[in-house]
Amino acid sequence: MIKKTPHVYLMCPPEYFDVSYIINPWMHGNMRKIDNALAKVQWRALYDILCDRATVRLVLPQPGSPDMVFTANAGLLRGKKFLLSRFRFPERQYEEPYYADWFMDRGFDVTYMPRDVPFEGAGDALFDRSADRLWMAYGHRSVIGAVGEIEKLYGVNVVPLKLVDQRFYHLDTCFCPLEGGKLIYYPPAFDAESQKTIEKLVPSHRRFAIAESDALQFACNAVNVGKAVVVNRAGKGFVEGLGKLGYEVVQTPLSEFMKAGGSAKCLTLRLDEK
Ligand code: ARG
């Protein structure tokens, strides 16, 4: 029997999803190569998996914003406070007002980042599940200058981590805090100092460093809902390793979204962050 959790996620149907510009290495060679019918089937499968275990709400997709499916980048949410993203690339800045409207219409307090502070929301900022701490990545899409704004708004301790591999351009592509305080991550995506910071703050028995082959299938881009860890694809080592930690890995192919540099976690935004 699948257990329903109190979690709530925001998703955006892939109506207009496509690769129509290149803003990350995964998109290279994939311009207009999306099979939209297949993308819809894959998105729907993820939606169904999450609906079995949580509540999913939807935001209306917009023509001209093909990456709007990646709701993780809408902003950062905790309680009623929503910090709207400032996208690094103009191609995605069109999404900002739609997300601002969605959250404003539903009674959230919407805060804007200063214009000159790029910050890509829950793609680059992830709450720890056992400590009152927010992990925030900078180096590709978000800037370290965002730290002060986030601390001011939420009064949370922000731990900045520097990303150094272009393929892992958002924190959620290489780092995933799990319920119960465990962490899966891909260490080479971070600079040496950030790796040390992670090792210092998360004891080794709680850390699971994943293989490059799994990292390249975006195994860290996981939706952890209850004991389930939902991913695009993962190898035996990953499935067994997480099994030992008490989690069940649920695999659901998301190849069409990988062509745009996204996977399970990017396609969702947690709305019940306490
Ligand atoms: N094509 C999108 C971009 O480059 C993919 C976003 C993936 N989102 C994420 N949270 N990693 O912005």
Side-chain angles (χ1 to χ4, degrees), residues 26 31 38 52 76 94 100 132 185 188 200 230 257 261 266 270:
W26 300 83
M31 274 283 261
L38 179 58
D52 283 343
L76 181 64
Y94 296 107
D132 189 26
Y185 76 126
K200 203 175 81 203
V230 187
F257 300 96
C266 310
R270 265 280 286 272

Side-chain angles (χ1 to χ4, degrees), residues 11-14 17 33-50 69-70 230-233 251-260 262-264 267-268:
M11 291 181 74
C12 176
F17 172 61
K33 292 256 171 70
I34 302 293
D35 177 342
N36 193 268
L38 179 58
K40 282 188 177 128
V41 171
Q42 294 180 340
W43 183 91
R44 180 66 203 225
L46 176 67
Y47 173 83
D48 288 343
I49 290 169
L50 294 180
V69 279
F70 299 113
V230 187
V231 294
N232 164 54
R233 210 159 81 190
Q251 303 187 47
T252 188
L254 293 163
S255 60
E256 296 315 293
F257 300 96
M258 294 286 292
K259 292 179 185 169
S263 169
L267 293 167
T268 68

